[in-house]
């Protein structure tokens, strides 16, 4: 066998590098396609999961959370009636049974667990300038539930193990996921999911007789307060789970402006809204102390 001429070596090396690079990139592409196909399949499987299974997971997670429920009848009555009016506008075939739990917490927040368990904090009631703003935020959370955004996010984190646990009734796996109840409420949603839930919130608010633009007002105000004071924990807590980017605010504004005039809701709170906000600020001292960051919390 004759040796390769010296002049041919550079060309041979370049060709080999091109081939190796092509194989490497091809491998990465194949892995990406496989990964995408796997998550596409898992996402499609979620559509066939009975809502009752979501409800089971959501209730377990809610039971594991360290919340201080509000017993004040005025606050409970006000938010319950807002939620009732929103849910009444859902199609009758909606498979979810929504429940709302108001809790004492200074942070302004609201979130929904899979299956329809929703939580609203006293901080959000204190920050909201009208029941219309509360309606918009709760309508947004209802949107996450009916489109199964939270459940999809959980499945993406837990993988097939969650679906298998639901199919075969593995309470151990369900229990371990539910124990991260507080983590479940901080799951991040995609931009598309947030926009989709905003559309639901606007529609429900409008049909229930609340001012549909109010949701955007609340989101924008929280965003502006966080910019003015980067240490404002109330606003930052809300924005961490409800990022108010320009696209979302623009969509809310555009949809609300196109809606024809509609009669206002005959919603009557059991007290003036300013009184409700004042009540919501009166968090029991024991709960304030309990919720203070403990040593080591920042390291978790």
């Amino acid at each position: 066998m004759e040796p390769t001429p010296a002049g041919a070596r550079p060309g041979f090396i370049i060709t080999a590098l091109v081939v190796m690079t092509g194989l490497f990139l091809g491998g990465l592409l194949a892995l990406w396609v496989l990964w995408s196909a796997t998550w596409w399949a898992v996402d499609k499987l979620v559509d066939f999961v009975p809502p009752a299974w979501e409800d089971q997971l959501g209730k377990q997670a809610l039971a594991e959370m360290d919340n201080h429920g509000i017993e004040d009848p005025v606050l409970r009555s006000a938010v319950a009636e807002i939620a009732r009016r929103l849910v009444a506008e859902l199609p009758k075939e909606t498979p979810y049974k929504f429940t709302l739990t108001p809790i004492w917490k200074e942070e302004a927040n609201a979130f929904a667990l899979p299956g329809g368990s929703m939580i609203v904090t006293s901080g959000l009631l204190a920050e909201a300038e009208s029941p219309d703003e509360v309606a918009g935020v709760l309508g947004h959370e209802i949107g996450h539930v009916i489109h199964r955004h939270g459940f999809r996010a959980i499945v993406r984190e837990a993988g097939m193990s969650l679906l298998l646990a639901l199919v075969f009734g593995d309470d151990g796996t369900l229990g371990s996921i539910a124990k991260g109840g507080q983590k479940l409420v901080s799951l991040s949603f995609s931009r598309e999911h947030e926009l989709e839930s905003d559309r639901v919130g606007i529609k429900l608010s409008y049909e229930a007789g609340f001012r549909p633009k109010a949701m955007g007002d609340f989101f924008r105000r929280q965003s502006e307060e966080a910019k003015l004071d980067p240490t404002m924990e109330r606003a930052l807590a809300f924005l961490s789970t409800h990022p108010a980017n320009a696209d979302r605010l623009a969509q809310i504004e555009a949809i609300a402006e196109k809606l024809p005039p509609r009669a206002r809701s005959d919603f009557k709170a059991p007290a003036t809204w300013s009184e409700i906000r004042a009540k919501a600020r009166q968090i029991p001292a024991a709960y304030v102390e309990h919720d203070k960051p403990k040593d080591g919390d920042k390291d978790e």
Side-chain angles (χ1 to χ4, degrees), residues 1 10 59 63 95 115 143 148 169 173 205 236 241-242 268 272 279:
M1 183 176 183
K59 284 180 177 175
R148 314 182 96 167
T173 301
S205 294
L236 293 174
T241 50
H242 304 78
K268 293 289 188 299
T272 66
K279 274 181 170 288

Side-chain angles (χ1 to χ4, degrees), residues 50-121:
W53 294 1
E54 287 180 85
D55 183 61
Q56 178 187 357
L57 178 63
K59 284 180 177 175
Q60 280 189 251
L62 183 62
E64 293 287 343
M65 295 172 67
D66 184 19
N67 292 325
H68 315 299
I70 293 176
E71 299 299 332
D72 184 289
V74 172
L75 294 179
R76 289 183 65 86
S77 175
V79 294
E81 181 60 13
I82 293 171
R84 186 194 69 76
R85 288 170 180 261
L86 295 170
V87 172
E89 299 301 329
L90 291 170
K92 294 190 182 300
E93 63 272 17
T94 302
Y96 299 103
K97 304 297 182 186
F98 288 89
T99 61
L100 179 64
T101 303
I103 65 171
W104 289 113
K105 203 170 190 64
E106 187 177 12
E107 296 172 353
N109 219 334
F111 44 84
L113 295 168
S117 295
M118 298 191 297
I119 292 177
V120 61
T121 69

